[in-house]
Amino acid sequence: MRFEQLDVWKRASRLSCEIYKATESVQNWGFKDQITRSGLSVPSNIAEGEERETIKEKVRFLYYAKGSLGELVTQLYIGIEIGYLNRQSSMDMIKEAKELAKIIGSLIKNKESQIKEENADYKVD
């Protein structure tokens, strides 16, 4: 399957776009750079993993995407607290990020079970 067909990639891409729009007026370049990078990292890692050859590599990049979601949620909370980001729209983005993390977690479990199946050594007499 091509990564462009994955709903999780589509949703993560939309979330990344929302983050760019939400931080458009943020003057603190360091904060803006960090939060946009973590948001951009999610769909990028999903795509990169899907383009890899082995299931192990695909899983590794899904873990990176999931980690970036944790980073993003943290930055959204901080952005709200310091007054850089709108509370309601940021809470909506946090909700979406957490849902994406659950979906990615399920994908990881599914793919890891395929790895275990590939490694199974059955003897048939």
Side-chain angles (χ1 to χ4, degrees):
M1 176 180 258
R2 299 286 306 158
F3 66 85
E4 296 99 325
Q5 297 171 318
L6 295 172
D7 286 336
V8 70
W9 177 83
K10 292 175 188 177
R11 287 174 63 178
S13 295
R14 281 193 294 271
L15 179 59
S16 180
C17 292
E18 287 178 37
I19 292 160
Y20 273 93
K21 291 174 188 175
T23 59
E24 201 170 52
S25 63
V26 172
Q27 297 296 312
N28 183 316
W29 186 85
F31 177 82
K32 184 176 184 174
D33 182 59
Q34 188 66 37
I35 195 169
T36 55
R37 281 176 182 258
S38 62
L40 186 60
S41 179
V42 179
S44 298
N45 277 303
I46 293 168
E48 187 168 356
E50 283 301 306
E51 294 296 321
R52 295 296 174 139
E53 291 294 318
T54 68
I55 294 174
K56 273 187 173 180
E57 285 182 300
K58 293 175 189 300
V59 167
R60 182 167 43 106
F61 281 91
L62 286 173
Y63 273 115
Y64 293 155
K66 193 168 184 287
S68 292
L69 284 165
E71 184 179 356
L72 176 61
V73 167
T74 299
Q75 293 159 359
L76 286 165
Y77 279 127
I78 291 169
I80 293 167
E81 191 65 31
I82 61 179
Y84 284 178
L85 301 173
N86 173 277
R87 178 176 294 278
Q88 186 55 54
S89 63
S90 295
M91 292 306 293
D92 291 343
M93 287 187 278
I94 288 167
K95 180 181 177 194
E96 177 69 355
K98 288 181 176 183
E99 288 177 17
L100 289 170
K102 286 181 185 175
I103 293 167
I104 291 171
S106 294
L107 285 171
I108 289 168
K109 284 182 183 175
N110 181 283
K111 288 184 184 297
E112 284 180 335
S113 72
Q114 292 174 20
I115 294 169
K116 290 174 187 163
E117 286 295 321
E118 285 179 0
N119 293 335
D121 185 26
Y122 299 104
K123 296 195 184 239
V124 179
D125 293 327

